[in-house]
PDB file of all heavy atoms in Angstrom:
ATOM      1  N   THR A   8       0.797  -1.181  -0.017  1.00  0.00           N
ATOM      2  CA  THR A   8       0.002   0.012  -0.042  1.00  0.00           C
ATOM      3  C   THR A   8       0.868   1.283   0.011  1.00  0.00           C
ATOM      4  O   THR A   8       1.997   1.170   0.484  1.00  0.00           O
ATOM      5  CB  THR A   8      -0.923   0.022   1.262  1.00  0.00           C
ATOM      6  OG1 THR A   8      -0.051  -0.042   2.430  1.00  0.00           O
ATOM      7  CG2 THR A   8      -1.847  -1.149   1.262  1.00  0.00           C
ATOM      8  N   ASN A   9       0.343   2.308  -0.554  1.00  0.00           N
ATOM      9  CA  ASN A   9       1.078   3.548  -0.622  1.00  0.00           C
ATOM     10  C   ASN A   9       0.365   4.603   0.110  1.00  0.00           C
ATOM     11  O   ASN A   9       0.052   5.727  -0.446  1.00  0.00           O
ATOM     12  CB  ASN A   9       1.228   3.942  -2.153  1.00  0.00           C
ATOM     13  CG  ASN A   9       2.035   2.921  -2.872  1.00  0.00           C
ATOM     14  OD1 ASN A   9       3.181   2.596  -2.510  1.00  0.00           O
ATOM     15  ND2 ASN A   9       1.452   2.431  -4.070  1.00  0.00           N
ATOM     16  N   ILE A  10       0.154   4.395   1.374  1.00  0.00           N
ATOM     17  CA  ILE A  10      -0.474   5.383   2.266  1.00  0.00           C
ATOM     18  C   ILE A  10       0.568   6.382   2.569  1.00  0.00           C
ATOM     19  O   ILE A  10       1.722   6.136   2.835  1.00  0.00           O
ATOM     20  CB  ILE A  10      -0.998   4.692   3.629  1.00  0.00           C
ATOM     21  CG1 ILE A  10      -1.960   3.496   3.255  1.00  0.00           C
ATOM     22  CG2 ILE A  10      -1.578   5.733   4.453  1.00  0.00           C
ATOM     23  CD1 ILE A  10      -3.149   3.893   2.610  1.00  0.00           C
ATOM     24  N   ILE A  11       0.112   7.694   2.509  1.00  0.00           N
ATOM     25  CA  ILE A  11       1.042   8.775   2.803  1.00  0.00           C
ATOM     26  C   ILE A  11       1.655   8.648   4.215  1.00  0.00           C
ATOM     27  O   ILE A  11       0.985   8.181   5.072  1.00  0.00           O
ATOM     28  CB  ILE A  11       0.334  10.164   2.562  1.00  0.00           C
ATOM     29  CG1 ILE A  11      -0.777  10.318   3.511  1.00  0.00           C
ATOM     30  CG2 ILE A  11      -0.059  10.327   1.159  1.00  0.00           C
ATOM     31  CD1 ILE A  11      -1.440  11.691   3.476  1.00  0.00           C
ATOM     32  N   ASN A  12       2.879   9.155   4.255  1.00  0.00           N
ATOM     33  CA  ASN A  12       3.552   9.142   5.615  1.00  0.00           C
ATOM     34  C   ASN A  12       3.250  10.429   6.374  1.00  0.00           C
ATOM     35  O   ASN A  12       3.563  11.512   5.940  1.00  0.00           O
ATOM     36  CB  ASN A  12       5.046   9.048   5.375  1.00  0.00           C
ATOM     37  CG  ASN A  12       5.819   8.887   6.676  1.00  0.00           C
ATOM     38  OD1 ASN A  12       5.248   8.567   7.669  1.00  0.00           O
ATOM     39  ND2 ASN A  12       7.137   9.154   6.579  1.00  0.00           N
ATOM     40  N   THR A  13       2.516  10.300   7.433  1.00  0.00           N
ATOM     41  CA  THR A  13       2.122  11.402   8.185  1.00  0.00           C
ATOM     42  C   THR A  13       1.949  11.028   9.698  1.00  0.00           C
ATOM     43  O   THR A  13       1.514   9.890   9.953  1.00  0.00           O
ATOM     44  CB  THR A  13       0.808  12.094   7.718  1.00  0.00           C
ATOM     45  OG1 THR A  13       0.402  13.097   8.664  1.00  0.00           O
ATOM     46  CG2 THR A  13      -0.277  11.066   7.534  1.00  0.00           C
ATOM     47  N   ASN A  14       2.328  11.912  10.579  1.00  0.00           N
ATOM     48  CA  ASN A  14       2.159  11.519  12.025  1.00  0.00           C
ATOM     49  C   ASN A  14       0.776  11.589  12.464  1.00  0.00           C
ATOM     50  O   ASN A  14       0.480  11.282  13.694  1.00  0.00           O
ATOM     51  CB  ASN A  14       3.100  12.427  12.861  1.00  0.00           C
ATOM     52  CG  ASN A  14       2.787  13.893  12.668  1.00  0.00           C
ATOM     53  OD1 ASN A  14       1.797  14.304  12.075  1.00  0.00           O
ATOM     54  ND2 ASN A  14       3.691  14.772  13.150  1.00  0.00           N
ATOM     55  N   LYS A  15      -0.199  11.967  11.597  1.00  0.00           N
ATOM     56  CA  LYS A  15      -1.613  11.967  11.971  1.00  0.00           C
ATOM     57  C   LYS A  15      -2.092  10.529  12.056  1.00  0.00           C
ATOM     58  O   LYS A  15      -3.123  10.273  12.691  1.00  0.00           O
ATOM     59  CB  LYS A  15      -2.426  12.744  10.909  1.00  0.00           C
ATOM     60  CG  LYS A  15      -2.195  14.242  11.011  1.00  0.00           C
ATOM     61  CD  LYS A  15      -3.037  14.918   9.964  1.00  0.00           C
ATOM     62  CE  LYS A  15      -2.583  14.712   8.524  1.00  0.00           C
ATOM     63  NZ  LYS A  15      -3.297  15.599   7.569  1.00  0.00           N
ATOM     64  N   ILE A  16      -1.431   9.609  11.359  1.00  0.00           N
ATOM     65  CA  ILE A  16      -1.876   8.203  11.364  1.00  0.00           C
ATOM     66  C   ILE A  16      -1.351   7.450  12.585  1.00  0.00           C
ATOM     67  O   ILE A  16      -0.106   7.393  12.756  1.00  0.00           O
ATOM     68  CB  ILE A  16      -1.461   7.457  10.081  1.00  0.00           C
ATOM     69  CG1 ILE A  16      -2.055   8.222   8.866  1.00  0.00           C
ATOM     70  CG2 ILE A  16      -1.811   6.021  10.073  1.00  0.00           C
ATOM     71  CD1 ILE A  16      -1.577   7.600   7.531  1.00  0.00           C
ATOM     72  N   VAL A  17      -2.230   6.999  13.461  1.00  0.00           N
ATOM     73  CA  VAL A  17      -1.797   6.323  14.597  1.00  0.00           C
ATOM     74  C   VAL A  17      -1.548   4.837  14.410  1.00  0.00           C
ATOM     75  O   VAL A  17      -0.792   4.152  15.066  1.00  0.00           O
ATOM     76  CB  VAL A  17      -2.728   6.528  15.798  1.00  0.00           C
ATOM     77  CG1 VAL A  17      -2.753   8.024  16.108  1.00  0.00           C
ATOM     78  CG2 VAL A  17      -4.150   6.023  15.525  1.00  0.00           C
ATOM     79  N   SER A  18      -2.316   4.251  13.419  1.00  0.00           N
ATOM     80  CA  SER A  18      -2.150   2.863  13.094  1.00  0.00           C
ATOM     81  C   SER A  18      -2.762   2.495  11.765  1.00  0.00           C
ATOM     82  O   SER A  18      -3.788   3.160  11.385  1.00  0.00           O
ATOM     83  CB  SER A  18      -2.855   2.006  14.217  1.00  0.00           C
ATOM     84  OG  SER A  18      -2.680   0.616  13.970  1.00  0.00           O
ATOM     85  N   ILE A  19      -2.208   1.578  11.100  1.00  0.00           N
ATOM     86  CA  ILE A  19      -2.732   0.994   9.862  1.00  0.00           C
ATOM     87  C   ILE A  19      -2.879  -0.523  10.123  1.00  0.00           C
ATOM     88  O   ILE A  19      -2.013  -1.262  10.356  1.00  0.00           O
ATOM     89  CB  ILE A  19      -1.776   1.214   8.663  1.00  0.00           C
ATOM     90  CG1 ILE A  19      -1.540   2.666   8.423  1.00  0.00           C
ATOM     91  CG2 ILE A  19      -2.389   0.524   7.364  1.00  0.00           C
ATOM     92  CD1 ILE A  19      -0.587   2.988   7.296  1.00  0.00           C
ATOM     93  N   GLU A  20      -4.152  -0.970  10.062  1.00  0.00           N
ATOM     94  CA  GLU A  20      -4.495  -2.320  10.349  1.00  0.00           C
ATOM     95  C   GLU A  20      -4.984  -3.034   9.061  1.00  0.00           C
ATOM     96  O   GLU A  20      -5.522  -2.345   8.092  1.00  0.00           O
ATOM     97  CB  GLU A  20      -5.596  -2.469  11.418  1.00  0.00           C
ATOM     98  CG  GLU A  20      -5.262  -1.709  12.704  1.00  0.00           C
ATOM     99  CD  GLU A  20      -4.131  -2.433  13.475  1.00  0.00           C
ATOM    100  OE1 GLU A  20      -3.928  -3.643  13.212  1.00  0.00           O
ATOM    101  OE2 GLU A  20      -3.563  -1.797  14.370  1.00  0.00           O
ATOM    102  N   GLN A  21      -4.917  -4.363   9.042  1.00  0.00           N
ATOM    103  CA  GLN A  21      -5.457  -5.108   7.879  1.00  0.00           C
ATOM    104  C   GLN A  21      -6.438  -6.164   8.322  1.00  0.00           C
ATOM    105  O   GLN A  21      -6.189  -6.763   9.430  1.00  0.00           O
ATOM    106  CB  GLN A  21      -4.272  -5.778   7.163  1.00  0.00           C
ATOM    107  CG  GLN A  21      -3.314  -4.842   6.474  1.00  0.00           C
ATOM    108  CD  GLN A  21      -2.127  -5.599   5.841  1.00  0.00           C
ATOM    109  OE1 GLN A  21      -1.501  -6.453   6.439  1.00  0.00           O
ATOM    110  NE2 GLN A  21      -1.936  -5.370   4.507  1.00  0.00           N
ATOM    111  N   VAL A  22      -7.484  -6.253   7.636  1.00  0.00           N
ATOM    112  CA  VAL A  22      -8.466  -7.364   7.788  1.00  0.00           C
ATOM    113  C   VAL A  22      -8.584  -8.105   6.527  1.00  0.00           C
ATOM    114  O   VAL A  22      -8.513  -7.492   5.407  1.00  0.00           O
ATOM    115  CB  VAL A  22      -9.819  -6.841   8.323  1.00  0.00           C
ATOM    116  CG1 VAL A  22      -9.654  -6.202   9.675  1.00  0.00           C
ATOM    117  CG2 VAL A  22     -10.435  -5.801   7.329  1.00  0.00           C
ATOM    118  N   PHE A  23      -8.817  -9.415   6.573  1.00  0.00           N
ATOM    119  CA  PHE A  23      -8.748 -10.186   5.381  1.00  0.00           C
ATOM    120  C   PHE A  23     -10.111 -10.887   5.089  1.00  0.00           C
ATOM    121  O   PHE A  23     -10.836 -11.314   5.939  1.00  0.00           O
ATOM    122  CB  PHE A  23      -7.654 -11.242   5.492  1.00  0.00           C
ATOM    123  CG  PHE A  23      -6.290 -10.634   5.537  1.00  0.00           C
ATOM    124  CD1 PHE A  23      -5.669 -10.340   6.723  1.00  0.00           C
ATOM    125  CD2 PHE A  23      -5.711 -10.318   4.362  1.00  0.00           C
ATOM    126  CE1 PHE A  23      -4.436  -9.779   6.733  1.00  0.00           C
ATOM    127  CE2 PHE A  23      -4.415  -9.746   4.337  1.00  0.00           C
ATOM    128  CZ  PHE A  23      -3.787  -9.443   5.584  1.00  0.00           C
ATOM    129  N   ASP A  24     -10.397 -10.968   3.776  1.00  0.00           N
ATOM    130  CA  ASP A  24     -11.567 -11.633   3.235  1.00  0.00           C
ATOM    131  C   ASP A  24     -11.151 -12.890   2.634  1.00  0.00           C
ATOM    132  O   ASP A  24     -10.206 -12.965   1.839  1.00  0.00           O
ATOM    133  CB  ASP A  24     -12.200 -10.674   2.226  1.00  0.00           C
ATOM    134  CG  ASP A  24     -13.323 -11.385   1.405  1.00  0.00           C
ATOM    135  OD1 ASP A  24     -13.940 -12.347   1.950  1.00  0.00           O
ATOM    136  OD2 ASP A  24     -13.491 -10.971   0.272  1.00  0.00           O
ATOM    137  N   PHE A  25     -11.805 -13.945   2.961  1.00  0.00           N
ATOM    138  CA  PHE A  25     -11.482 -15.307   2.457  1.00  0.00           C
ATOM    139  C   PHE A  25     -12.372 -15.717   1.332  1.00  0.00           C
ATOM    140  O   PHE A  25     -12.429 -16.942   0.958  1.00  0.00           O
ATOM    141  CB  PHE A  25     -11.518 -16.378   3.599  1.00  0.00           C
ATOM    142  CG  PHE A  25     -10.470 -16.084   4.589  1.00  0.00           C
ATOM    143  CD1 PHE A  25     -10.684 -15.273   5.681  1.00  0.00           C
ATOM    144  CD2 PHE A  25      -9.222 -16.757   4.520  1.00  0.00           C
ATOM    145  CE1 PHE A  25      -9.678 -15.062   6.637  1.00  0.00           C
ATOM    146  CE2 PHE A  25      -8.255 -16.469   5.464  1.00  0.00           C
ATOM    147  CZ  PHE A  25      -8.495 -15.672   6.521  1.00  0.00           C
ATOM    148  N   GLY A  26     -13.041 -14.763   0.671  1.00  0.00           N
ATOM    149  CA  GLY A  26     -13.775 -15.116  -0.505  1.00  0.00           C
ATOM    150  C   GLY A  26     -15.194 -14.565  -0.643  1.00  0.00           C
ATOM    151  O   GLY A  26     -15.692 -14.336  -1.745  1.00  0.00           O
ATOM    152  N   SER A  27     -15.837 -14.231   0.485  1.00  0.00           N
ATOM    153  CA  SER A  27     -17.178 -13.800   0.436  1.00  0.00           C
ATOM    154  C   SER A  27     -17.372 -12.298   0.203  1.00  0.00           C
ATOM    155  O   SER A  27     -18.464 -11.851  -0.157  1.00  0.00           O
ATOM    156  CB  SER A  27     -17.966 -14.215   1.701  1.00  0.00           C
ATOM    157  OG  SER A  27     -17.442 -13.435   2.759  1.00  0.00           O
ATOM    158  N   GLY A  28     -16.331 -11.575   0.499  1.00  0.00           N
ATOM    159  CA  GLY A  28     -16.421 -10.125   0.370  1.00  0.00           C
ATOM    160  C   GLY A  28     -16.875  -9.477   1.675  1.00  0.00           C
ATOM    161  O   GLY A  28     -16.890  -8.224   1.737  1.00  0.00           O
ATOM    162  N   CYS A  29     -17.234 -10.246   2.676  1.00  0.00           N
ATOM    163  CA  CYS A  29     -17.734  -9.594   3.886  1.00  0.00           C
ATOM    164  C   CYS A  29     -17.429 -10.451   5.144  1.00  0.00           C
ATOM    165  O   CYS A  29     -17.967 -10.171   6.209  1.00  0.00           O
ATOM    166  CB  CYS A  29     -19.241  -9.372   3.809  1.00  0.00           C
ATOM    167  SG  CYS A  29     -20.232 -10.887   3.561  1.00  0.00           S
ATOM    168  N   ILE A  30     -16.575 -11.424   5.060  1.00  0.00           N
ATOM    169  CA  ILE A  30     -16.281 -12.276   6.186  1.00  0.00           C
ATOM    170  C   ILE A  30     -15.766 -11.586   7.389  1.00  0.00           C
ATOM    171  O   ILE A  30     -16.058 -11.905   8.560  1.00  0.00           O
ATOM    172  CB  ILE A  30     -15.385 -13.476   5.741  1.00  0.00           C
ATOM    173  CG1 ILE A  30     -15.298 -14.511   6.869  1.00  0.00           C
ATOM    174  CG2 ILE A  30     -13.979 -12.924   5.434  1.00  0.00           C
ATOM    175  CD1 ILE A  30     -16.571 -15.334   6.987  1.00  0.00           C
ATOM    176  N   CYS A  31     -14.971 -10.530   7.150  1.00  0.00           N
ATOM    177  CA  CYS A  31     -14.359  -9.804   8.302  1.00  0.00           C
ATOM    178  C   CYS A  31     -15.466  -9.061   9.118  1.00  0.00           C
ATOM    179  O   CYS A  31     -15.169  -8.711  10.261  1.00  0.00           O
ATOM    180  CB  CYS A  31     -13.305  -8.847   7.784  1.00  0.00           C
ATOM    181  SG  CYS A  31     -13.949  -7.472   6.813  1.00  0.00           S
ATOM    182  N   CYS A  32     -16.645  -8.871   8.564  1.00  0.00           N
ATOM    183  CA  CYS A  32     -17.645  -8.246   9.269  1.00  0.00           C
ATOM    184  C   CYS A  32     -18.615  -9.120  10.027  1.00  0.00           C
ATOM    185  O   CYS A  32     -19.540  -8.624  10.604  1.00  0.00           O
ATOM    186  CB  CYS A  32     -18.529  -7.275   8.272  1.00  0.00           C
ATOM    187  SG  CYS A  32     -17.559  -6.099   7.397  1.00  0.00           S
ATOM    188  N   SER A  33     -18.375 -10.398   9.944  1.00  0.00           N
ATOM    189  CA  SER A  33     -19.188 -11.345  10.683  1.00  0.00           C
ATOM    190  C   SER A  33     -18.957 -11.126  12.203  1.00  0.00           C
ATOM    191  O   SER A  33     -17.967 -10.543  12.605  1.00  0.00           O
ATOM    192  CB  SER A  33     -18.887 -12.780  10.261  1.00  0.00           C
ATOM    193  OG  SER A  33     -17.533 -13.076  10.706  1.00  0.00           O
ATOM    194  N   PRO A  34     -19.832 -11.726  13.009  1.00  0.00           N
ATOM    195  CA  PRO A  34     -19.716 -11.460  14.470  1.00  0.00           C
ATOM    196  C   PRO A  34     -18.305 -11.916  15.040  1.00  0.00           C
ATOM    197  O   PRO A  34     -17.883 -11.275  16.034  1.00  0.00           O
ATOM    198  CB  PRO A  34     -20.793 -12.391  15.113  1.00  0.00           C
ATOM    199  CG  PRO A  34     -21.865 -12.376  14.013  1.00  0.00           C
ATOM    200  CD  PRO A  34     -21.059 -12.388  12.669  1.00  0.00           C
ATOM    201  N   ASP A  35     -17.691 -12.832  14.391  1.00  0.00           N
ATOM    202  CA  ASP A  35     -16.327 -13.244  14.834  1.00  0.00           C
ATOM    203  C   ASP A  35     -15.231 -12.816  13.907  1.00  0.00           C
ATOM    204  O   ASP A  35     -14.171 -13.288  13.953  1.00  0.00           O
ATOM    205  CB  ASP A  35     -16.263 -14.819  15.002  1.00  0.00           C
ATOM    206  CG  ASP A  35     -17.253 -15.348  15.993  1.00  0.00           C
ATOM    207  OD1 ASP A  35     -17.357 -14.677  17.028  1.00  0.00           O
ATOM    208  OD2 ASP A  35     -17.891 -16.366  15.792  1.00  0.00           O
ATOM    209  N   GLY A  36     -15.597 -11.881  13.066  1.00  0.00           N
ATOM    210  CA  GLY A  36     -14.671 -11.463  12.014  1.00  0.00           C
ATOM    211  C   GLY A  36     -13.636 -10.488  12.569  1.00  0.00           C
ATOM    212  O   GLY A  36     -13.704  -9.873  13.652  1.00  0.00           O
ATOM    213  N   ASP A  37     -12.523 -10.297  11.679  1.00  0.00           N
ATOM    214  CA  ASP A  37     -11.419  -9.516  12.123  1.00  0.00           C
ATOM    215  C   ASP A  37     -11.788  -8.109  12.444  1.00  0.00           C
ATOM    216  O   ASP A  37     -11.332  -7.424  13.379  1.00  0.00           O
ATOM    217  CB  ASP A  37     -10.337  -9.546  11.044  1.00  0.00           C
ATOM    218  CG  ASP A  37      -9.674 -10.834  10.891  1.00  0.00           C
ATOM    219  OD1 ASP A  37      -9.764 -11.720  11.837  1.00  0.00           O
ATOM    220  OD2 ASP A  37      -8.971 -11.084   9.874  1.00  0.00           O
TER     221      ASP A  37
END
């Protein structure tokens, strides 16, 4: 990823989809 470098960003996190397009949003999702 090419996110700009700035001290305003406190964290960059990643969540992953295993095929459905919405798995990370399930009750137990990332």
Side-chain angles (χ1 to χ4, degrees):
T8 57
N9 296 307
I10 304 298
I11 60 174
N12 184 17
T13 170
N14 57 13
K15 290 181 289 188
I16 299 176
V17 297
S18 182
I19 299 177
E20 305 289 341
Q21 293 178 310
V22 295
F23 293 93
D24 168 30
F25 292 86
S27 69
C29 59
I30 191 69
C31 69
C32 300
S33 66
D35 295 323
D37 291 344

